Amino acid sequence: MKLVKLDAIDSTNDYLKDLVRTMNAENYTVVTAEHQTKGKGQRGSTWASEKGKNLIMSMLVRDFINSGTAMFDLNIVVSLAVLQALDSLDIPKLSIKWPNDIMSDDKKIGGILIENSFKSDNTVDSIVGIGLNVNQLNFENLTQASSLAVITGSSFDKEHILEKIANAIQDYLKSWPNNGQQLQNTYTNLLFKKEELMVFQASDDSFFNGTIKGITTGGRLVIENDKGTRLDFDIKEVKMIF
């Protein structure tokens, strides 16, 4: 694993994409920064982080996704790798809020953003961005956010966590061909609020009661509504209200 350490950058994902375009970056290259000014999240949102307190990293995963691979498989791999690393640090009540927010109890402690670049030979370069709240203590106006330090009362070595996550990602990628279905089942079982009756907001701003049942092969969220009908949704089509 080649590690590139930066002090401040607009986005580690964008920096790594530029590195891939301008150089023959080796697979599993990781870029990390103490601060990023234009961190990105799902749904086009921004991801803000206090300078020097949190883990900000992007990792190149080359040629895992191809014409025979579901795009969401990499989300499963990375989410499980992050949870494995955090579980080894005794972070309690870990789960994945679909599609890839990392939760401890009912607090968000991290997020994942994967950006794919398709090449002419039908292979794909994937930039895996991970933001993890580690030692930040103040989350003013972010009532659903927390950090490892707040949850445990201890501070953590960010580089140690980075190494754990990077190694776990590579291990899961290698095991996927033989264990893909098992890993998808594990991901499903770790879904935040699975089998709990919740309120959801649809893309037309209507609300409905439902229960998360799992995901489709392509990573769409399967919800059973209060009439017993199972529906599946893409990321921009439904929002959990909790």
Side-chain angles (χ1 to χ4, degrees):
M1 178 188 77
K2 180 179 179 180
L3 178 61
V4 179
K5 296 182 180 180
L6 304 171
D7 180 39
I9 193 69
D10 53 355
S11 162
T12 55
N13 265 28
D14 288 347
Y15 183 93
L16 185 51
K17 281 188 284 187
D18 288 341
L19 201 63
V20 171
R21 280 195 295 264
T22 57
M23 299 174 59
N24 186 26
E26 64 184 66
N27 202 12
Y28 307 131
T29 294
V30 174
V31 174
T32 184
E34 292 298 302
H35 180 61
Q36 63 178 2
T37 58
K38 296 181 181 178
K40 294 179 286 186
Q42 294 287 355
R43 302 173 189 263
S45 63
T46 58
W47 189 80
S49 173
E50 188 177 334
K51 184 175 181 179
K53 297 291 186 179
N54 302 319
L55 176 60
I56 303 165
M57 63 177 286
S58 296
M59 183 177 193
L60 171 63
V61 174
R62 177 164 281 151
D63 301 339
F64 173 72
I65 294 175
N66 54 49
S67 57
T69 307
M71 297 288 291
F72 199 75
D73 292 351
L74 186 55
N75 293 64
I76 294 172
V77 164
V78 176
S79 298
L80 293 180
V82 173
L83 258 63
Q84 176 180 297
L86 296 180
D87 185 62
S88 72
L89 299 171
D90 296 322
I91 307 304
K93 299 180 180 179
L94 292 166
S95 65
I96 305 160
K97 182 174 174 286
W98 177 86
N100 43 26
D101 282 347
I102 306 302
M103 309 292 289
S104 176
D105 199 5
D106 62 348
K107 299 292 186 181
K108 178 179 176 178
I109 56 174
I112 299 162
L113 178 66
I114 298 175
E115 299 179 281
N116 297 305
S117 298
F118 295 84
K119 298 182 288 186
S120 58
D121 61 357
N122 294 321
T123 58
V124 178
D125 283 343
S126 301
I127 305 297
V128 177
I130 300 171
L132 188 65
N133 298 330
V134 179
N135 294 320
Q136 184 169 329
L137 299 178
N138 181 20
F139 293 93
E140 186 177 357
N141 300 321
L142 297 172
T143 58
Q144 294 180 336
S146 191
S147 69
L148 308 189
V150 171
I151 291 165
T152 65
S154 302
S155 60
F156 291 84
D157 182 333
K158 294 181 297 178
E159 189 160 331
H160 178 60
I161 298 173
L162 182 152
E163 291 175 358
K164 281 180 172 288
I165 292 174
N167 290 335
I169 289 174
Q170 292 178 68
D171 289 343
Y172 276 118
L173 289 171
K174 291 174 184 175
S175 70
W176 183 267
N178 296 321
N179 299 295
Q181 185 59 57
Q182 179 182 341
L183 295 177
Q184 180 171 324
N185 293 341
T186 300
Y187 175 96
T188 297
N189 291 332
L190 288 168
L191 284 173
F192 180 66
K193 300 294 186 181
K194 184 173 183 284
E195 300 292 351
E196 294 185 29
L197 186 63
M198 300 290 296
V199 177
F200 296 88
Q201 183 178 6
S203 56
D204 62 0
D205 291 331
S206 63
F207 294 87
F208 66 96
N209 295 321
T211 306
I212 292 175
K213 293 296 183 180
I215 58 171
T216 67
T217 301
R220 292 170 66 89
L221 184 67
V222 178
I223 300 174
E224 183 175 282
N225 65 21
D226 52 8
K227 297 178 182 179
T229 303
R230 290 199 177 194
L231 307 167
D232 57 82
F233 298 88
D234 200 357
I235 183 173
K236 296 181 180 180
E237 297 175 345
V238 70
K239 180 181 179 181
M240 183 189 302
I241 307 298
F242 71 101

